[in-house]
Amino acid sequence: MAGPKKKMSLSSTVSDQLRSMILTGELAPGEVVIESDLATRFESSKTPVREALRQLTAEGLVTVLPKKGYLVRAMTQQDLTEVLDLRMLLEPHAAAECARFADAETIHRLRQCIDRQESGGQNNPIARTQRARSFHLEIAHSARSTRLVTTLQRCHEEMVRAHHIIPQLRDHLGNPRELEEHVAIYRAIAEGRGDLAAQHMRDHLRTIRSTMGVDLGAEALLWRM
C-alpha cells in the first residue's frame, strides 16, 4: 500500500509545482515541455511527470504535441472572457450564500483579508493579486459548497496567470475602487444582507472587466443584469 500512496503523492507534488510554474509565467505560453527534461528537473521518474502532465492537460493548461511533448497553452481574450463570465455567474451567488451562513469567525476572516489589502504591497501588483484572490476565495469557502469552491479556485488561478503573463491587466489592481468595492461586499455580508452582497459583487466584477479592457460585446446580457 505504501508504494501507490508514495507514487500518488509524488505525482501530486509534481502537478502542483508545474501548475505554479505555468500560472506564474515561469513556463511561458508557447513553451514546449518534455517529460524526460521535467523528470530530470524534478529528480523523479517519468511516471509521476506523465501523470502530472495528464492532469494539467485536463485543466487546459497544456496541450499534447504528438511525439514532441506538451505545449504550454496561451491565454487568449476568449479565455479571459469565459473566466470572467463564469465568475459573474457564480460569485454573486457565493456572496449571497456567504451572507446567509456568515458567523463571527467568517466575518473576522473576511475583515483580515480587507486589513491585509489595506496594509501594504501597493507597489507589488502580484502581491495585490494574491490578497484580492484571498478575499474572493474566503467568500467562496464560506458559501459552504465544495463544488463552488473548486470551480472558483480554477477561475482565480486563471486570473493569477493572466496577471503574470499580461502585465497590462494589472492596472485595475491599483484602482482605489478595488478595495472600496471589497469593503462594500464585506459590509453587506457582515450585515447578513445577501441580496446586497450579491449586487455589490456584480458591480465589482463589472469594474474588473471594464478596467481590464475586456470587450463586453453587444450580446453580453449577463453583464447588464
Side-chain angles (χ1 to χ4, degrees):
M1 294 295 291
K5 287 184 179 179
K6 184 176 181 181
K7 175 183 171 184
M8 181 67 73
S9 176
L10 183 55
S11 176
S12 297
T13 298
V14 173
S15 292
D16 290 344
Q17 291 177 320
L18 280 174
R19 186 182 297 105
S20 177
M21 291 166 68
I22 293 171
L23 294 178
T24 60
E26 184 178 346
L27 287 176
E31 188 169 343
V32 176
V33 293
I34 300 169
E35 283 182 12
S36 57
D37 292 346
L38 292 175
T40 300
R41 182 171 189 163
F42 292 119
E43 299 181 342
S44 73
S45 66
K46 289 184 182 180
T47 300
V49 171
R50 186 177 301 119
E51 292 172 350
L53 287 167
R54 189 177 297 126
Q55 174 62 34
L56 297 182
T57 300
E59 293 177 15
L61 292 176
V62 299
T63 55
V64 179
L65 293 176
K67 299 183 180 180
K68 292 183 180 180
Y70 294 78
L71 179 73
V72 179
R73 284 191 65 237
M75 173 164 269
T76 66
Q77 177 85 355
Q78 181 61 28
D79 291 325
L80 193 54
T81 297
E82 289 177 8
V83 169
L84 289 168
D85 281 350
L86 194 53
R87 289 184 64 185
M88 179 58 95
L89 284 169
L90 297 179
E91 291 203 66
H93 171 72
E97 289 295 282
C98 180
R100 183 161 75 95
F101 290 119
D103 54 16
E105 181 59 30
T106 297
I107 294 168
H108 175 67
R109 290 196 301 269
L110 288 172
R111 181 68 251 182
Q112 287 182 313
C113 290
I114 296 291
D115 290 344
R116 283 192 290 270
Q117 283 190 269
E118 291 176 333
S119 66
Q122 300 308 309
N123 296 321
N124 186 336
I126 299 304
R128 292 201 305 268
T129 301
Q130 296 293 354
R131 290 189 175 112
R133 178 178 179 237
S134 294
F135 176 75
H136 283 268
L137 290 180
E138 184 60 51
I139 289 173
H141 279 284
S142 299
R144 302 187 183 181
S145 168
T146 57
R147 289 173 177 80
L148 183 64
V149 170
T150 299
T151 303
L152 286 176
Q153 178 85 26
R154 289 278 299 277
C155 286
H156 282 277
E157 286 177 352
E158 295 259 29
M159 296 295 291
V160 168
R161 185 180 185 223
H163 286 127
H164 275 91
I165 65 178
I166 314 174
Q168 60 267 33
L169 296 182
R170 301 173 191 167
D171 291 346
H172 81 93
L173 294 166
N175 187 338
R177 291 178 63 184
E178 170 79 9
L179 180 57
E180 292 168 7
E181 290 172 354
H182 278 192
V183 170
I185 295 165
Y186 160 75
R187 287 176 176 165
I189 290 171
E191 294 168 3
R193 301 176 66 184
D195 289 347
L196 184 60
Q199 187 55 57
H200 283 323
M201 183 63 80
R202 289 188 194 96
D203 293 342
H204 178 51
L205 292 170
R206 289 190 188 100
T207 297
I208 291 173
R209 184 160 185 165
S210 174
T211 56
M212 290 178 83
V214 178
D215 182 17
L216 287 171
E219 303 302 322
L221 298 179
L222 172 65
W223 292 80
R224 296 181 172 87
M225 293 170 59

